[in-house]
Amino acid sequence: MSFIAQVKFLPKEVKRFIATEALLGIGMGIFGLVLNLHLLALNVSPEQIGALNSVGTLVMGAAAIPAGFFANYIGRKRIFISGITLTGIGYGLFGLGESIGVFYLAQIIQFIGISFLITTEIQLLFSYAETNELETVSYSLLFAVFTLFSGVGTLLGGFIPNWFPYGNTKYQSSVYISAVLILVAALLRGILLPCVNNSFDKGKSKLLLSNIRIYQVFDKKILLIIFYLFLTGMAFSTIIPFQNVIVKFRMGWSDEYVSYLLTINGLILFFASMIMPWIINKFGTIKAYYYVYGMNLLFALILAFNNISVMMFSTIFLLRSGSFTLLNNMIESQTMSVVEEEKRDFFAGVKSLLRSIGSAIASYLAGYILENQNYTYPFLITFVILLVSLLYFAIFIKPIFIENLSNSNFSFEEEIQKDVEGI
């Protein structure tokens, strides 16, 4: 069945989920562009911003495990909507705040919300999707819509400060607008999305809450996957949280030009998200991973050189973003699919913790590097992390994927044939 045909057969709950993702994307796109600039305008240093990001990701990780338990106990939707609401409140506090203490409070609230959101989002979406085949399609479409409208938000974030330059900095009104959009998204999803009963019954959930034998919930396979996501988190947070700062100061561009590039970046991410199922179907799961890893390594290495032209930097920067999004989406959807339904909430909580620790380490390191005005080292560090991740994938994760393929409804022989053809 083609991708377009699969989209037509998506349940209405999935379509509502994806439609309301647009508001989330616009709000987060605006906020992602203007926050660092807002903080810099308030004399917060890049190193302090890196420390803020590190604290946020650690808080996100710490909140993930209880979020996973609560999602299993009181329902994924309740935790999911609470997460979006807390994120909007955190955004609003960043607009109200003037001191570093208030910013830390806003960061903590925001990242507790994000933790609740990401710990439940994929499982809730997959529970609406109903079949394994539609899970990958649903995830790809959700992320595609998010990245597309995040790009719209990024573009708006470059102009709203000039349209409404009010407040302690010209970016303050943009921060408030992003907060309102997130809160409206929470309201609409609370109304439109139905509650679903987790297949993991409450009796078993209560038992696990009181059971200290964690190995009964998290087997060797899940622990291997969690460390794999730890490495992905490091690769993500070395560049992504600071990409507007990197582009602005490496290129010497104005906010408007930065927003243009990051808007195009959003369109690239949209395209990368949409083609993920096609790439997996075309090349096979394993070979697709090797190809996408190869692109990421090449682009990160090129960007590590300081003497490339503005045009080359812009082009490779966009290609790197697209290829990394493709890799990240493959990892997120495929790793969740190999985990049994009854373990998904607990897996999501622990994976978020480990991934957050990796992100915190990378964010602090990147902030320290940018404090010294070096805008190439983050790409070199990302190259090294991705190389380690590729080796880890080949040794530990590839066998897990192959085993899952052999147990799935897909033709395992056809998948293997795709992976070996042309090698």
Side-chain angles (χ1 to χ4, degrees):
M1 185 184 296
S2 68
F3 179 77
I4 300 299
Q6 289 173 325
V7 170
K8 291 181 180 178
F9 282 101
L10 288 175
K12 65 179 184 298
E13 294 85 0
V14 173
K15 293 177 181 177
R16 291 173 181 174
F17 199 115
I18 292 170
T20 51
E21 188 76 3
L23 280 174
L24 209 66
I26 295 173
M28 290 188 171
I30 295 172
F31 188 78
L33 179 72
V34 303
L35 177 63
N36 286 346
L37 303 177
H38 175 63
L39 295 176
L40 289 171
L42 290 172
N43 297 316
V44 179
S45 71
E47 187 173 3
Q48 287 176 310
I49 294 174
L52 269 172
N53 284 327
S54 296
V55 168
T57 50
L58 287 174
V59 168
M60 180 173 67
I65 293 180
F69 279 104
F70 291 146
N72 221 320
Y73 189 63
I74 65 175
R76 291 169 182 165
K77 181 188 170 183
R78 291 186 179 93
I79 300 301
F80 179 64
I81 300 301
S82 298
I84 300 174
T85 303
L86 287 172
T87 302
I89 293 171
Y91 281 17
L93 277 177
F94 270 113
L96 292 170
E98 298 181 20
S99 65
I100 193 68
V102 176
F103 296 146
Y104 272 108
L105 176 61
Q107 188 82 325
I108 289 169
I109 293 173
Q110 176 206 169
F111 273 88
I112 290 175
I114 291 175
S115 179
F116 283 16
L117 189 158
I118 66 174
T119 303
T120 53
E121 183 176 40
I122 299 175
Q123 302 92 280
L124 185 62
L125 177 69
F126 282 9
S127 66
Y128 294 144
E130 298 175 352
T131 68
N132 289 338
E133 185 179 21
L134 292 179
E135 286 179 355
T136 299
V137 176
S138 299
Y139 183 87
S140 298
L141 194 58
L142 178 77
F143 198 85
V145 169
F146 175 81
T147 52
L148 176 63
F149 284 93
S150 178
V152 173
T154 300
L155 181 62
L156 290 173
F159 290 93
I160 292 175
N162 294 326
W163 295 340
F164 308 105
Y166 308 117
N168 297 326
T169 75
K170 70 175 185 175
Y171 307 104
Q172 190 174 28
S173 58
S174 302
V175 175
Y176 287 141
I177 290 171
S178 65
V180 170
L181 289 169
I182 298 300
L183 293 173
V184 171
L187 177 63
L188 290 177
R189 284 182 159 176
I191 295 170
L192 296 175
L193 298 181
C195 292
V196 292
N197 293 323
N198 298 7
S199 62
F200 199 31
D201 65 84
K202 290 186 178 180
K204 184 178 283 190
S205 181
K206 289 180 181 179
L207 176 63
L208 285 172
L209 281 170
S210 61
N211 195 338
I212 61 172
R213 299 176 182 177
I214 299 299
Y215 67 86
Q216 292 182 348
V217 183
F218 300 106
D219 54 26
K220 179 181 177 182
K221 174 182 71 175
I222 290 179
L223 293 175
L224 288 172
I225 292 172
I226 287 169
F227 185 75
Y228 182 50
L229 294 168
F230 167 84
L231 294 173
T232 307
M234 290 192 70
F236 179 91
S237 291
T238 307
I239 295 174
I240 303 299
F242 300 97
Q243 61 183 1
N244 58 339
V245 175
I246 292 172
V247 171
K248 181 179 177 68
F249 292 104
R250 181 166 176 171
M251 313 288 264
W253 283 357
S254 66
D255 295 342
E256 289 83 357
Y257 280 110
V258 173
S259 73
Y260 289 147
L261 182 66
L262 294 185
T263 299
I264 297 172
N265 185 64
L267 296 175
I268 297 292
L269 302 190
F270 170 77
F271 178 74
S273 303
M274 292 294 289
I275 66 172
M276 184 191 74
W278 177 83
I279 287 179
I280 292 176
N281 290 332
K282 174 71 174 178
F283 300 106
T285 302
I286 307 304
K287 193 159 75 170
Y289 268 86
Y290 285 135
Y291 283 163
V292 176
Y293 263 114
M295 289 190 296
N296 274 277
L297 288 168
L298 175 62
F299 296 146
L301 186 61
I302 293 173
L303 292 171
F305 292 96
N306 197 34
N307 56 350
I308 61 176
S309 66
V310 169
M311 181 61 69
M312 176 174 282
F313 174 84
S314 302
T315 303
I316 301 300
F317 178 87
L318 294 172
L319 292 174
R320 192 215 73 87
S321 293
S323 63
F324 185 81
T325 295
L326 185 57
L327 177 63
N328 188 66
N329 287 3
M330 288 168 60
I331 291 172
E332 285 289 336
S333 62
Q334 297 292 311
T335 52
M336 183 61 75
S337 290
V338 303
V339 176
E340 296 84 353
E341 166 64 24
E342 65 269 17
K343 296 181 179 180
R344 284 181 175 178
D345 289 320
F346 301 100
F347 164 71
V350 175
K351 87 159 185 187
S352 185
L353 172 61
L354 266 293
R355 187 166 187 165
S356 295
I357 293 173
S359 296
I361 295 170
S363 291
Y364 187 81
L365 179 60
Y368 177 79
I369 291 170
L370 294 176
E371 178 76 10
N372 293 296
Q373 300 181 352
N374 191 308
Y375 305 110
T376 59
Y377 280 7
F379 296 104
L380 182 59
I381 293 170
T382 300
F383 172 83
V384 174
I385 295 170
L386 285 172
L387 184 59
V388 173
S389 175
L390 172 59
L391 295 174
Y392 187 88
F393 169 81
I395 297 170
F396 297 109
I397 304 301
K398 176 181 173 181
I400 295 173
F401 284 177
I402 290 176
E403 180 183 0
N404 183 65
L405 288 168
S406 66
N407 294 331
S408 70
N409 295 326
F410 298 105
S411 170
F412 182 58
E413 291 78 9
E414 181 179 337
E415 180 78 16
I416 294 298
Q417 182 64 28
K418 289 178 182 178
D419 287 327
V420 299
E421 282 179 354
I423 297 181

